[in-house]
Amino acid sequence: MADEPLILGIETSCDETGVGIVRGHTLLADALASSVEEHARFGGVVPEVASRAHLEAIVPTMDRALKEAGVTIADVDAIAVTSGPGLAGALLVGVAAAKGYAVAAEKPVYGVNHLAAHVAVDTLEHGPLPEPAIALLVSGGHSSLLRVDDLARGVVPLGATIDDAAGEAFDKVARLLGLPFPGGPYIDREARAGDPASIAFPRGLTAAKDLAGHRFDFSFSGLKTAVARWVEARQRAGEPVPVADVAASFQEAVCDVLVGKALDACRGSGIDTLVIGGGVAANSRLRAMAEQRAAKHGVRVRTPRPKLCTDNGAMVAALGSHLVAAGVAPSRLDLPADSAMPLTVVSVGPQEGTE
Ligand code: KG4
Ligand code: ZN
């Protein structure tokens, strides 16, 4: 609708420079420049390389998004930017750019939480999020279960990983299988030809003794080690490693735990909406398994299309739009880039600055 506010979102927390533009819940532009290929040979994101790439990409990506949406910066009602969490130098580029555009065009600016944006992006696909909802957030840096009562004002953490993030486990296992970085999409692809029941890999923190203290927490480091041991044993025996079977069995173990715990959180709280976000939410097996199992429990699963699951500017714009609609006050112009921004802080309040 033309009378809804036009919000521009800037994302630079990791290796994707994203600028998205939304009007209400309608996505108008989603421009992305990735430095992923510059990191691939290092097997992980190199912060300095990412910062430099953001610096080079930010203005062209901004121009592309405005052109794609058919608007000018003067038409925009507010600018949202990822304030954290993420790589400090990378975040700084986006935050500085947002401030520059905000001052030049006299627009309010919202410093927002990257993780809350991964949840908010689903509104572009499925409309307003029913609240309360349970959110499963699975990315390269985070794995959390949250209760979302009011996405504009805060989320309640129920549990999180105690070691590796889910995406990190995908990336590490891919590496030991000789697959490229980032490994998630490659494991996803390989797994399609494999048998998910061929190897019984461990399901972290699901034993009765662990559930008492860690009902909604995750652990993927034991699984990663189990995969490494299994692969080593094959190599020592001089036998070929069945990459597709290992990928499928590993992926099954991760998804089994994620879906099991997310549905347990729904059951435990009587909440019938589960939203899944973050890069790992692009995983085809996770999406299918969540749908299947949730249906049996009367839970509706909302997962944005894969392109919106991985980092992008549209998710930041979507959260900005939600904040504006909820009447949340913008941030101050000295809003920080906060690499350790807590999950519970959805946006930088008008009192918080860098002084
Ligand atoms: O949300 P995201 O783009 O960046 C962070 O905020 O971390 O997530 C990136 C992570 C990477 O670990 C990547 O391997 C994983 O998401 N990922 C996937 C898939 N696509 C991306 N993991 C499993 N299956 C996929 N299809
Ligand atoms: Zn992310």
Side-chain angles (χ1 to χ4, degrees):
M1 261 168 277
D3 54 352
E4 285 179 297
L6 187 68
I7 312 297
L8 183 141
I10 300 176
E11 156 62 33
T12 64
S13 71
C14 193
D15 58 345
E16 316 281 353
T17 313
V19 179
I21 300 176
V22 307
R23 192 182 286 288
H25 296 306
T26 307
L27 179 61
L28 302 181
D30 186 14
L32 202 65
S34 179
S35 62
V36 69
E37 279 166 16
E38 294 176 53
H39 309 289
R41 69 194 168 99
F42 301 106
V45 175
V46 183
E48 291 79 4
V49 174
S51 309
R52 165 67 56 177
H54 285 307
L55 211 50
E56 285 168 4
I58 189 74
V59 173
T61 310
M62 185 77 161
D63 292 345
R64 230 166 5 104
L66 291 167
K67 194 167 169 216
E68 199 179 314
V71 298
T72 67
I73 191 78
D75 300 323
V76 167
D77 292 298
I79 296 172
V81 59
T82 299
S83 189
L87 304 170
L91 289 167
L92 262 177
V93 177
V95 169
K99 290 176 183 177
Y101 283 105
V103 170
E106 295 181 44
K107 306 294 177 187
V109 62
Y110 288 80
V112 307
N113 190 306
H114 179 81
L115 304 170
H118 269 306
V119 177
V121 72
D122 186 63
T123 58
L124 301 179
E125 189 107 315
H126 298 113
L129 183 71
E131 289 167 333
I134 296 292
L136 171 65
L137 229 165
V138 273
S139 69
H142 294 266
S143 300
S144 298
L145 261 175
L146 322 168
R147 186 190 155 107
V148 184
D149 292 302
D150 179 355
L151 183 56
R153 293 186 172 81
V155 296
V156 183
L158 300 176
T161 182
I162 61 166
D163 40 56
D164 292 350
E168 198 179 346
F170 270 94
D171 296 340
K172 288 177 175 170
V173 166
R175 191 171 190 176
L176 63 93
L177 290 176
L179 300 170
F181 173 84
Y186 294 94
I187 297 235
D188 196 342
R189 210 167 306 152
E190 283 290 333
R192 282 174 207 168
D195 175 5
S198 58
I199 309 158
F201 285 131
R203 270 67 170 156
L205 299 183
T206 57
K209 66 171 173 34
D210 295 324
L211 285 178
H214 293 287
R215 181 170 169 192
F216 299 128
D217 290 328
F218 304 105
S219 167
F220 298 109
S221 117
L223 168 60
K224 173 195 67 191
T225 308
V227 177
R229 293 277 137 74
W230 196 93
V231 170
E232 279 159 22
R234 290 290 288 226
Q235 286 165 339
R236 257 200 317 274
E239 292 169 31
V241 176
V243 173
D245 284 345
V246 176
S249 301
F250 158 76
Q251 178 174 273
E252 196 70 7
V254 174
C255 296
D256 190 18
V257 175
L258 291 176
V259 173
K261 294 211 176 207
L263 290 178
D264 186 30
C266 292
R267 265 194 312 272
S269 53
I271 293 174
D272 63 1
T273 302
L274 170 64
V275 50
I276 310 182
V280 180
N283 184 267
S284 61
R285 180 62 186 136
L286 180 63
R287 300 166 78 92
M289 189 194 278
E291 287 283 345
Q292 245 166 27
R293 289 205 203 160
K296 287 190 208 137
H297 297 282
V299 170
R300 267 168 309 143
V301 180
R302 293 169 50 122
T303 315
R305 58 181 175 275
K307 189 168 180 276
L308 293 180
C309 290
T310 43
D311 291 350
N312 60 74
M315 64 193 235
V316 180
L319 180 54
S321 178
H322 188 75
L323 294 171
V324 169
V328 172
S331 311
R332 290 190 344 197
L333 262 177
D334 63 347
L335 77 118
D338 179 1
S339 61
M341 189 171 188
L343 183 54
T344 46
V345 177
V346 173
S347 64
V348 180
Q351 283 82 37
E352 300 152 65
T354 49
E355 297 158 87

